[in-house]
Amino acid sequence: MSEKARGILIVFSGFSGSGKGTIVRELISRYRSYYSLSVSATTRLPRATEKDGREYFFKTREEFEKMIEKKELIEYALYVDNYYGTPKAYVEEQLDAGKDVILEIEMQGAGKVKEMFPDALLMFVAPPDAQTLKERLLGRGTEELQVVEARLSRAYEEAFLVEAYDYLLINDTVDRCVEEFHSIVRNEHRKVLRNQEFITRIKEELKDFSKGE
Ligand code: 5GP
């Protein structure tokens, strides 16, 4: 094929503490040429290890509201008292370049993306059980106990929305999860519905050949 097909928009969600950040980092380090990761904007304060422009674009509330006003975001949501949103320009540019773009976002945002991009692929990652989730959140040590509790309550609410997703990954080992993620996306590319352009083209080519019969 001469032109590169447009990439797939992938929404990747999971309960806070499910390990989705680790999975995405590992996926991109193994398969860098396939994926682009969208960097979100947020009003949350940076954690000690985070850098502006790498994990997030850290914004004040006023700055964030300006981005909403100027329609610079594909979607945004309030999550445990902070705004989070996906800047539009980078996503469009990377999809056009044929990259599969990963949005690591929570579930309200996922629903909005699906409405705007019905072709988006929705993947959800869960820990093997709830106890593991709690231990991971406590073990991370970056949040106050109160915040951990708020995130666990949010996870309970989110558990009712998993059916809106296309695929469920269980994060027992990062290695297996990463390989499953990648193979699901490779399979998605082969779906007939995602290859309409090819089918149209080959029909045209065959039509020319069949004239000479
Ligand atoms: P955290 O504070 O742990 O980095 O992120 C909290 C939640 O916000 C996570 O579920 C994360 O996936 C989600 N999130 C991050 N960026 C975005 C975004 O751009 N839009 C939405 N809707 N959620 C986001």
Side-chain angles (χ1 to χ4, degrees):
M1 252 201 302
S2 53
E3 275 177 44
K4 209 169 181 195
R6 198 170 143 90
I8 296 178
L9 185 58
I10 302 167
V11 171
F12 189 37
S13 309
F15 308 127
S16 180
S18 59
K20 61 187 183 303
T22 312
I23 291 164
V24 164
R25 273 197 304 280
E26 185 56 29
L27 178 81
I28 290 184
S29 89
R30 287 188 200 179
Y31 301 106
R32 194 168 299 280
S33 62
Y34 292 85
Y35 300 102
S36 290
L37 179 62
S38 157
V39 177
S40 295
T42 183
T43 57
R44 157 165 93 54
L45 292 174
R47 295 181 186 132
T49 55
E50 290 177 334
K51 221 177 112 199
D52 188 42
R54 188 179 62 193
E55 282 81 7
Y56 285 104
F57 296 107
F58 294 98
K59 303 284 180 193
T60 63
R61 228 177 155 90
E62 294 76 54
E63 287 170 335
F64 197 99
E65 283 165 356
K66 268 256 150 63
M67 293 178 84
I68 300 174
E69 233 169 77
K70 289 162 86 186
K71 303 204 182 329
E72 289 173 7
L73 302 172
I74 289 181
E75 60 72 41
Y76 65 92
L78 258 181
Y79 177 92
V80 192
D81 299 334
N82 280 298
Y83 276 130
Y84 294 81
T86 308
K88 196 186 297 176
Y90 178 80
V91 170
E92 289 290 354
E93 169 198 304
Q94 294 298 306
L95 288 174
D96 284 344
K99 291 288 190 86
D100 295 330
V101 179
I102 302 175
L103 311 183
E104 192 198 315
I105 64 177
E106 54 65 67
M107 303 174 94
Q108 287 171 60
K112 292 187 209 155
V113 171
K114 189 74 185 177
E115 275 170 29
M116 280 178 69
F117 298 84
D119 287 353
L121 175 63
L122 271 53
M123 314 257 271
F124 192 86
V125 62
D129 52 65
Q131 186 60 29
T132 310
L133 187 69
K134 185 172 181 187
E135 282 161 17
R136 283 186 192 160
L137 278 171
L138 289 170
R140 186 147 84 181
T142 52
E143 256 94 29
E144 310 267 338
L145 186 60
Q146 208 184 339
V147 175
V148 169
E149 281 167 0
R151 286 177 177 238
L152 285 169
S153 300
R154 174 78 182 216
Y156 176 59
E157 290 166 22
E158 289 181 338
F160 289 86
L161 305 172
V162 179
E163 271 105 343
Y165 281 68
D166 298 309
Y167 289 92
L168 172 70
L169 298 171
I170 306 295
N171 186 12
D172 41 13
T173 75
V174 171
D175 176 60
R176 211 175 51 75
C177 241
V178 165
E179 292 309 317
E180 274 189 10
F181 188 117
H182 186 61
S183 75
I184 288 167
V185 177
R186 296 325 301 153
N187 287 342
E188 275 297 312
H189 275 279
R190 302 275 51 87
K191 278 201 168 155
V192 166
L193 277 175
R194 293 193 189 273
N195 287 277
Q196 292 302 320
E197 272 179 39
F198 172 87
I199 295 166
T200 307
R201 177 173 60 79
I202 203 143
K203 270 190 203 153
E204 284 300 314
E205 290 171 3
L206 288 167
K207 190 163 107 194
D208 288 345
F209 283 157
S210 73
K211 277 179 197 151
E213 269 181 359

